[in-house]
Amino acid sequence: MNITIRRAVKEDCPRLLELVHELAVYEKAPEEVTVTLEHFTASGFGPNPVWWAFVAEVDGIVQGFALYYIRYSTWKGQRMYLEDLIVTESMRGNGLGKLLFDRLIEEGKEKKFHGMVWQVLDWNEPAINFYKKYNASFDAGWMNCSITF
């Protein structure tokens, strides 16, 4: 198995959205993915990108990715926000998630961010156990809030 971790490029976007849809099915919310390929691509590779990503290729096929954006904390400064860490179901357990997560940490250090934050569903035990290996802090004191425009 030949594994490569690299920065995502515009041409990866259709495959990345396929993996987003796979994740949505896993999280029991396939109908929640409403972003179009055009919007997704422009948001990452247009004149003012708002997200960046690394992909994990296995034998030339993207089998996972980690997508982040910059979050600003008035207490901490710039922090990396990990929006999604996805490894296709058939490739889980092969170390792709670790390689992607380690690359994110490296990126955060290179850019002098003051840490990384993310969310994980409380029932997603494999993901929770993965993050525990990094001594992640889990904050039960906050509730997620959102509005839709």
Side-chain angles (χ1 to χ4, degrees):
M1 197 165 42
N2 183 19
I3 300 171
T4 303
I5 304 298
R6 63 169 174 79
R7 289 190 187 279
V9 295
K10 183 177 183 178
E11 293 74 23
D12 292 321
C13 288
R15 177 64 176 151
L16 300 185
L17 267 185
E18 287 177 12
L19 295 179
V20 167
H21 284 278
E22 182 179 321
L23 176 66
V25 169
Y26 176 75
E27 292 185 354
K28 303 172 181 66
E31 70 286 349
E32 294 295 321
V33 179
T34 59
V35 68
T36 65
L37 176 59
E38 293 75 24
H39 182 77
F40 183 79
T41 303
S43 296
F45 298 96
N48 299 301
V50 296
W51 63 259
W52 298 267
F54 292 98
V55 299
E57 279 186 336
V58 178
D59 298 326
I61 299 170
V62 173
Q63 298 288 1
F65 75 92
L67 185 146
Y68 78 90
Y69 56 88
I70 299 169
R71 174 181 177 222
Y72 189 80
S73 166
T74 56
W75 289 15
K76 304 289 184 187
Q78 289 186 0
R79 305 189 90 189
M80 178 182 281
Y81 187 87
L82 174 58
E83 177 64 23
D84 278 321
L85 174 62
I86 303 169
V87 174
T88 192
E89 187 175 5
S90 64
M91 293 304 297
R92 291 183 194 143
N94 289 298
L96 301 181
K98 180 180 183 345
L99 291 170
L100 286 165
F101 203 77
D102 289 347
R103 183 61 185 95
L104 288 170
I105 292 169
E106 182 181 324
E107 176 90 344
K109 289 177 179 178
E110 288 171 2
K111 294 191 178 292
K112 299 194 183 334
F113 294 150
H114 294 274
M116 178 168 56
V117 294
W118 66 93
Q119 296 171 306
V120 61
L121 291 166
D122 60 1
W123 56 261
N124 191 346
E125 300 246 352
I128 291 167
N129 291 332
F130 173 82
Y131 296 132
K132 283 181 178 177
K133 293 176 186 174
Y134 286 89
N135 295 317
S137 299
F138 295 84
D139 188 355
W142 293 83
M143 294 174 56
N144 292 319
C145 302
S146 70
I147 60 172
T148 302
F149 299 117

